[in-house]
Amino acid sequence: MMAQKEYILTYEGLKKLEEELDYLKTVKRREIAERIKVAREFGDISENAEYDEAKNEQAFTEGKIAEIEHKLKIAKVIDEEDIATDVVSIGSCVKVKDLEFDDIIDFYIVGSSEANPAEDKISNESPVGAALIGKKIGDKVVVAVPDGNITFEVLEINKK
């Protein structure tokens, strides 16, 4: 049997998952139950598209609930106190300088489940995230990306 992948979350990510689970278990389940009830009132459910659609959504929602519950059960939450500011780790906010374009970029290193590049949240498993993990202020790191290599210099390491 393969070892189970560690599911790393920040406290913020944990809260987000718990809120989603609560929404699915309360609001979403109620909405779907009501749709099923209304669809049954149409009569013959064997050819009832509304009923089939609601039942499919119910199955999807129950699967999502089970998935989130599993993630929460195996999650390793990064304690705010454990986030160092002398070395990049999961939970670090890192300010880097792109040495080619002279751009300053902020990255928030998170577990893969929380990654959202649009919010500058990058996974510790992404090429940039993996390259930054363990680096210190002043370190330069070369990251292989589809367009070639990017060289960053670590300028600051903070907690969120």
Side-chain angles (χ1 to χ4, degrees):
M1 191 165 128
M2 269 182 48
Q4 191 164 7
K5 181 181 170 194
E6 194 170 45
Y7 195 77
I8 302 171
L9 287 171
T10 61
Y11 184 72
E12 179 185 345
L14 174 70
K15 287 290 151 221
K16 204 177 212 179
L17 266 184
E18 288 173 339
E19 288 168 7
E20 182 180 3
L21 181 62
D22 183 58
Y23 169 78
L24 291 173
K25 284 182 154 184
T26 56
V27 177
K28 194 69 173 172
R29 273 183 175 164
R30 228 182 348 263
E31 287 174 358
I32 294 169
E34 184 60 30
R35 286 181 52 209
I36 290 171
K37 180 182 167 205
V38 169
R40 278 192 174 139
E41 292 170 0
F42 292 143
D44 183 10
I45 62 171
S46 66
E47 294 182 21
N48 186 327
E50 289 85 2
Y51 178 80
D52 289 343
E53 185 181 317
K55 289 299 279 184
N56 286 339
E57 187 174 357
Q58 181 182 43
F60 176 81
T61 300
E62 292 304 320
K64 187 75 174 159
I65 288 170
E67 176 188 332
I68 292 172
E69 286 176 336
H70 176 72
K71 286 177 180 178
L72 289 172
K73 193 167 93 176
I74 64 167
K76 176 183 179 217
V77 181
I78 302 299
D79 188 341
E80 192 83 18
E81 298 299 313
D82 295 338
I83 300 170
T85 54
D86 60 336
V87 65
V88 178
S89 62
I90 296 175
S92 294
C93 289
V94 186
K95 185 180 293 283
V96 298
K97 182 177 187 177
D98 179 332
L99 296 179
E100 181 180 351
F101 294 105
D102 217 30
D103 291 336
I104 304 294
I105 307 164
D106 291 308
F107 292 118
Y108 181 34
I109 311 293
V110 296
S112 60
S113 64
E114 292 179 74
N116 184 343
E119 296 176 5
D120 295 324
K121 292 181 178 180
I122 61 169
S123 166
N124 62 311
E125 298 174 11
S126 71
V128 173
L132 288 172
I133 294 286
K135 299 300 183 255
K136 297 180 179 183
I137 294 173
D139 285 354
K140 291 182 176 65
V141 59
V142 178
V143 183
V145 294
D147 290 344
N149 290 329
I150 300 175
T151 304
F152 293 118
E153 179 181 356
V154 178
L155 301 177
E156 290 179 23
I157 304 168
N158 299 296
K159 297 181 183 184
K160 182 147 183 151

